[in-house]
Amino acid sequence: VFNSTELKDTHYIYSHSYNKVEFLRSGSNVGKYVGFREFGMKNAERWNNDPHVLSWRRAQKEMFCHHNSEVWYRKVLLRSVKPSVRLHSTAPPGGHHPAMLVCSVYDFYPKQI
């Protein structure tokens, strides 16, 4: 999860699932593995007690996230598309005013107004 090229703003999530049910997760904001259900809790305890596994997971954030966030930020997030705007008046349902001004904005990126 990222919204800039700064590594400190990136949240790296590593997750294990079985039959679409997550049983183990490591998040860079937590700094360790968290298990869900008995199997995930056993593995989280084993991996959290291994300093090599934890340091390798921390290195993954820098190696994978930092590189890819720079690429995605440059190729996707810095681009923009001009919106198309439609402005019209309409009678509000059950309103006390004779007309209401409606502004609709379509087909733009990023979706910040």
Side-chain angles (χ1 to χ4, degrees), residues 22-79:
E22 183 180 37
F23 65 88
L24 185 74
R25 176 187 295 185
S26 172
S28 61
N29 63 336
V30 177
K32 65 178 186 173
Y33 287 90
V34 177
F36 311 103
R37 298 178 175 49
E38 184 180 350
F39 181 70
M41 291 166 53
K42 286 180 181 179
N43 281 287
E45 182 181 352
R46 181 170 49 103
W47 290 349
N48 286 333
N49 288 323
D50 186 339
H52 175 71
V53 171
L54 293 176
S55 65
W56 183 76
R57 184 61 55 209
R58 281 190 291 272
Q60 287 293 49
K61 175 184 175 182
E62 186 168 341
M63 186 172 68
F64 181 77
C65 296
H66 191 59
H67 168 73
N68 288 312
S69 67
E70 286 178 352
V71 171
W72 278 97
Y73 197 83
R74 189 172 58 252
K75 297 284 185 185
V76 177
L77 295 179
L78 290 179
R79 296 179 186 243

